[in-house]
Each structure stands twice: as structure tokens, then as C-alpha cells.
Amino acid sequence: MKAVKATLLYDGLGNVLKDVYIVFDRNIVDVTKVKPKEAEVIAEGVVTPAFIDGHSHIGMERYGEPYQEGEANEQMDSVLPLVDALYSIYMDDKAFKHSIEFGVLYSSVLPGSGNIIGGKAVFIRNYGRDIEDAFIQYAGVKAAFGYNPRSTKEWKGTRPSTRMGAIGILLSWLIKTRNTIALLEKGKKEPEEVEPTVEALIPVLKGEVPLRVHVHKEDDIAALLMIKRKFGLKITIEHAGDVHSRETFEKIKREGVPIVYGPFDSLPYKVELKHEDWKNAKYLLEVRPLFGLMSDHPVTLQANLYLQLRHFIRLGMSKAEAIKIITHNNAKILGVDDRLGSIEKGKWASLVVWNGDPFSLENYPTHVFAEGELIHEAEW
């Protein structure tokens, strides 16, 4: 077994411990004040759990490649629940290496927002050798409200020109799927008679798979919540960048809907983001729904995910709570908190050792461990 001495440990749950040893093999065996006799101490410093990116397109939009080769959006139709983000990821994207060097070891990778339903999201290891090795589990089905799906009228298939048109197309598929479920339950339709698109949407209608919805503006969020109630959907709100009132975050919290917020530090390049401002996060902190954070890579670089936390700290959040956003919170929203997101006995030994406070610009990870293996050691 191996051990790391944490002069300061941010455990991912909002706690800070001093001078403890983390003992591990593939999983964490113990967190103790007593220096272990049965394990070699191979690193020392400030320790955090591995960071988790709640929403990205890493490996689909790739480092050093022309934009024409990007694969985040499939243009063959507007409703594509069978499209799978995993099959457009290249693990040799150099961005993965950069992310690992700054402690981001896990990514939720989703199709883009040009379609009403863009396809399956996946949760992967950034250190995977190939997509089979990288794959951990599916992470919902991507959908999009607002400007983006109505901005792609030149793409193939049935396309909306308005937000009401986009929702109309979505509703037609939700109703069709709901009716199919009813026919199957009554024995009036055989499973083999169900068309593949509807079959892929059945788990969404049953609330077994979350619909992860790109949405920015307050009225589009209101529309989404109305549809969620009508069909009993399990959803996450992705972005919420234009929300500029406490009331909308309160409504989201009452509905029990988690938010993957952000990204900070990107250009608000469209009218849909005219109220975008880092200071909007003060309402998020006042209300405190369950929320995580995204890079939306390559919109902002995934390697810089932890730098976005400075905004929350400026607004009064503690450093330990800020670390929790991109560790435990993202893990909980993505359904992997049984394995990742905190330094606890039994969790995967995926952790980052820093040469000082991660929130000081001169500091950086010296050692990065993934499932107990040292995968990065700083050369300088």
C-alpha cells in the first residue's frame, strides 16, 4: 500500500483536516493522524480529491484541430437520443493531458446544443487509454432549450425557427413516447414494434435517466420546469448563465432540480446571455440549490476549471466549500458519489497533491493519483 501525507486536506465534503495520512491501494483504505507502518509515504502537500468536470465537450472538440473536424453536434436530425457522445471522443486529444496536470481526472462529456435532443452523455476517465478504458457510465440524455436549437435551421431534418417550435417538436416526441409506454403496459404493443428513437426515450419518460438540458434564460427555465412537471421527468439544468434573480434559483430549488452551473470566464457572445455576469452567482449562493460547475470545454479550458472557483470565494464561500463544488457536488449530480468526489475510506484513490494552497497562483499539483496509480508527477 501507499500513503500521502496531507499537511492540509480538503476532503471534498467541506471539511479541512491538518497533518493526516491518506492510505490507499486502488481505493482509500484509511485517513489517519497516525503515520502508517504498512505503507510507504510517497508524497506530501496540500491534498484535494480529483476534480470532476460537470459538463464538457473534451475529446469531441479537440486541441490543435480545425473546427471543421469537431464532432460535438450531429446535423442529420433534431431529435437524436441514440447518438452517443462516447463514439466522437478521441482520447489522444492533448487537452486530456493538460487537464490531468491540473487535477481534473473525470469528465462528463455531452453532445452540443444545436439539436433539441442531442444524444447520450457519458462520464469518463480523462486518463483512459481509449474510449473503452475511459468509459465509466452513461450520464443522461442531452437536450437544449433557447436560442441554440433554433439557430441551426440549415442543418438536416425537421428544424424549428422559434423557441415555441423547438418545444413543439420536443413535446411531440414526449407525447409519442408516453403513449407508447401506455400501449406496452396494456399489452397492445409488442417491444419489437417500438421504433428505436422512441425506445431510447422510454427511460427518460420513466424518470430512470435524467434529461440534461442546456438552458440559460429565466423564461426558458420556467418552460422547462412546466414540462418537467407535466411528464414527470428527471432533469438537470445545464448552464443557467443568464439567471439574474434570486426568485428563479428559489423556484429551481423548490423543484429539487440540480444545476451544473457556468461556465464563468467565457464570452457572452449572444443576446441570450445579455444578463450573464459572474456576480449572478451571489443569488446561487444565497439560495443554495444543489449545484456543481462546468468548464464547457473548449468554451473555457477544462484545465482551468478550479480557477473558476475564485468567484465563489470572492462572494464569501469558504475554500473548502468551493472545492466541494467540483468534487462531491459534481459527483452527486452525476451519480458517482459512491466512488468519487471525496477523500473517504472505500472511495477510489483519485487525489491531487499540491505544493501549497491551490488558490494561490504560484502553486500547482506535484502528484496526481488515479485509482491508486501515480499518473502525473511535476517535473518543475
Side-chain angles (χ1 to χ4, degrees):
M1 285 192 293
K2 294 164 277 195
V4 164
K5 182 180 180 182
T7 54
L8 195 70
L9 170 63
Y10 294 103
D11 71 354
L13 297 171
N15 304 310
V16 182
L17 304 175
K18 292 184 178 181
D19 295 323
V20 295
Y21 294 89
I22 304 158
V23 184
F24 60 92
D25 44 31
R26 186 179 185 272
N27 294 336
I28 296 169
V29 175
D30 200 7
V31 180
T32 176
K33 279 276 190 181
V34 180
K35 185 176 181 180
K37 296 179 180 179
E38 72 283 8
E40 178 188 4
V41 179
I42 55 177
E44 179 177 339
V46 177
V47 177
T48 67
F51 298 153
I52 298 167
D53 190 348
H55 176 126
S56 75
H57 311 289
I58 193 168
M60 303 179 84
E61 302 285 352
R62 295 175 285 267
Y63 185 102
E65 293 187 13
Y67 75 91
Q68 296 93 333
E69 294 194 23
E71 296 186 68
N73 282 292
E74 173 53 59
Q75 299 184 16
M76 66 180 171
D77 212 336
S78 62
V79 176
L80 297 169
L82 285 166
V83 166
D84 189 333
L86 186 68
Y87 302 127
S88 278
I89 294 171
Y90 278 136
M91 295 305 301
D92 64 356
D93 183 357
K94 196 172 181 179
F96 285 117
K97 180 176 183 293
H98 292 167
S99 295
I100 289 166
E101 290 173 351
F102 286 95
V104 189
L105 299 195
Y106 301 96
S107 300
S108 175
V109 185
L110 305 89
S113 52
N115 291 318
I116 298 163
I117 296 181
K120 296 179 182 179
V122 291
F123 186 70
I124 64 167
R125 301 171 173 90
N126 285 354
Y127 49 92
R129 184 181 57 81
D130 58 26
I131 57 171
E132 185 175 18
D133 184 47
F135 178 80
I136 297 174
Q137 66 183 45
Y138 285 105
V141 172
K142 174 70 178 290
F145 276 41
Y147 171 74
N148 285 24
R150 73 180 182 92
S151 71
T152 55
K153 294 189 292 294
E154 72 280 6
W155 293 4
K156 298 175 184 177
T158 303
R159 296 282 165 182
S161 58
T162 61
R163 288 158 44 236
M164 63 181 176
I167 290 175
I169 293 170
L170 175 64
L171 289 174
S172 70
W173 282 99
L174 295 180
I175 292 167
K176 187 175 185 178
T177 304
R178 184 176 63 184
N179 292 344
T180 299
I181 292 170
L183 291 172
L184 288 168
E185 290 175 346
K186 293 175 182 177
K188 295 183 178 180
K189 197 176 190 73
E190 296 300 322
E192 59 269 20
E193 297 175 322
V194 179
E195 62 180 289
T197 299
V198 171
E199 183 179 1
L201 288 172
I202 286 175
V204 174
L205 265 290
K206 288 185 173 182
E208 300 168 352
V209 172
L211 196 63
R212 300 187 55 191
V213 187
H214 165 112
V215 60
H216 280 293
K217 291 190 73 65
E218 294 185 342
D219 285 303
D220 291 330
I221 289 171
L224 172 61
L225 294 177
M226 292 166 70
I227 292 168
K228 174 242 180 200
R229 287 184 224 116
K230 181 176 181 178
F231 290 92
L233 302 176
K234 179 181 180 181
I235 65 169
T236 65
I237 287 173
E238 312 278 324
H239 297 298
D242 201 65
V243 177
H244 56 287
S245 72
R246 181 187 175 102
E247 289 79 7
T248 294
F249 286 123
E250 288 174 338
K251 179 181 285 191
I252 293 167
K253 184 176 182 178
R254 284 196 302 271
E255 295 280 345
V257 174
I259 303 169
V260 183
Y261 191 71
F264 291 108
D265 305 328
S266 64
L267 176 68
Y269 64 93
K270 51 188 174 181
V271 173
E272 189 175 55
L273 287 169
K274 65 184 177 182
H275 300 110
E276 191 274 340
D277 193 310
W278 70 268
K279 292 185 286 293
N280 289 338
K282 69 181 179 181
Y283 303 117
L284 188 62
L285 296 191
E286 289 170 4
V287 177
R288 295 291 180 107
L290 173 60
F291 72 94
L293 188 63
M294 69 168 72
S295 73
D296 205 18
H297 182 99
V299 177
T300 67
L301 295 181
Q302 187 180 82
N304 293 339
L305 177 65
Y306 78 103
L307 297 176
Q308 294 187 40
L309 297 177
R310 72 190 190 279
H311 298 298
F312 293 114
I313 292 170
R314 183 173 175 182
L315 290 166
M317 179 175 272
S318 71
K319 292 177 180 178
E321 285 291 320
I323 291 288
K324 184 179 177 183
I325 295 171
I326 58 172
T327 54
H328 175 75
N329 285 15
N330 275 346
K332 186 173 183 179
I333 291 168
L334 295 168
V336 294
D337 54 313
D338 59 331
R339 289 157 280 175
L340 291 165
S342 57
I343 306 292
E344 294 181 270
K345 185 176 179 179
K347 298 280 186 80
W348 289 2
S350 294
L351 50 98
V352 186
V353 183
W354 301 73
N355 66 337
D357 185 346
F359 297 100
S360 295
L361 287 177
E362 71 271 20
N363 295 330
Y364 54 87
T366 60
H367 299 77
V368 178
F369 296 90
E371 298 176 65
E373 296 298 321
L374 179 64
I375 62 169
H376 170 70
E377 186 172 0
E379 297 176 5
W380 62 82

